[in-house]
Amino acid sequence: MESLAHYPFFVFVLTFVFLSIATIAGASLHRRYPTVTADHKDDLGVILAATLTLLALIIGFSFAMATNRYDERKRLEEAEASATRTEIARAELLQPVEAEKVRKLLREYVDQRILFYDIRDISRRAQIAQRTSQLEGDLWAPIREAAAAQPTPVVALIVAGMNDVFKAQGDAQAAEWNRIPIAAWLLMAAIALCCTVLLGYRARTSMRLALVLPLVVAISFFLIADIDAPRHGLIHVGPENLESVALGRPQ
């Protein structure tokens, strides 16, 4: 089951709503306890500046984590397409019957991998993963038979190429599971909550201006969640390289 952090629009809405409530709660505390000395105001100013700085650092660190994961997913999709394209070419070195079988299976394999990047439905993705696993077994069978019948350097090269295809698929799947931990999201939310309460308590102007910080933080959280989520949201890695393999494959 996917967590809420995998849905950027929900992250934006919930963050803005809860931080706005926290800001209003801080203003209510100020109205309830209005007698604050000048020293207390200075202390609150220092604490607010420190928490805002810490929040900015953590948001920047989380953004860097998300962009690194996004770049890794793009790199692995390219590596997967390269390994598959190479293996399709190497399959020509097999015996005609085996070569045709391997090419046919690789064509279907590429189609399943493209669906892996495009489909958002969880149940459909489970079906795709199951079919991909079956295809890997079907692809390995003729390669294993060819290696047993003719243990030549050429066949060994084909075996190594098929292993690269499977490894690239596993790396891409692992990169999809590699997300920003929920604990990091909770820590960011807790610090943002403290910042907005303090800001609401110290606000001397209208509440509309005080709600700028919740909006900015919500947009920042949305961007981090959007980059970190492989499928949901506006930014995601598409199978452009795999699609080029599918379009350029031998028919």
Side-chain angles (χ1 to χ4, degrees), residues 42-205:
D42 292 339
D43 292 341
L44 285 174
V46 172
I47 294 172
L48 178 58
T51 52
L52 285 173
T53 302
L54 181 60
L55 178 61
L57 289 174
I58 293 179
I59 288 177
F61 177 71
S62 300
F63 181 78
M65 290 175 61
T67 52
N68 288 337
R69 284 162 169 76
Y70 177 79
D71 291 338
E72 182 183 21
R73 290 194 297 270
K74 288 181 62 177
R75 179 182 60 81
L76 291 175
E77 189 272 338
E78 181 181 356
E80 185 175 3
S82 177
T84 306
R85 183 185 294 109
T86 301
E87 188 62 10
I88 290 175
R90 289 178 180 177
E92 299 287 345
L93 301 176
L94 294 170
Q95 296 297 324
V97 176
E98 294 173 339
E100 179 60 27
K101 182 178 181 180
V102 170
R103 286 199 304 268
K104 181 179 178 181
L105 289 172
L106 281 173
R107 287 196 291 266
E108 185 176 355
Y109 182 83
V110 171
D111 291 338
Q112 293 298 316
R113 295 306 299 157
I114 291 173
L115 290 176
F116 167 81
Y117 285 93
D118 288 337
I119 298 298
R120 299 187 179 186
D121 183 73
I122 297 177
S123 60
R124 286 290 310 280
R125 296 210 306 267
Q127 295 174 2
I128 293 169
Q130 183 179 5
R131 180 55 183 159
T132 301
S133 180
Q134 293 174 355
L135 286 171
E136 288 179 352
D138 295 339
L139 280 166
W140 191 249
I143 298 297
R144 184 178 62 246
E145 294 174 359
Q150 294 180 325
T152 62
V154 173
V155 176
L157 186 64
I158 298 173
V159 172
M162 190 62 71
N163 182 69
D164 291 340
V165 172
F166 297 160
K167 182 180 182 301
Q169 184 273 335
D171 292 342
Q173 179 65 75
E176 183 199 7
W177 291 334
N178 188 16
R179 311 280 185 87
I180 294 177
I182 296 299
W185 282 107
L186 294 177
L187 288 173
M188 280 196 299
I191 295 174
L193 194 67
C194 294
C195 289
T196 50
V197 170
L198 289 172
L199 181 66
Y201 189 85
R202 294 190 75 249
R204 297 183 178 88
T205 58

Side-chain angles (χ1 to χ4, degrees), residues 14-26:
L14 290 179
T15 301
F16 181 69
V17 169
F18 280 109
L19 294 186
S20 297
I21 293 174
T23 304
I24 296 173

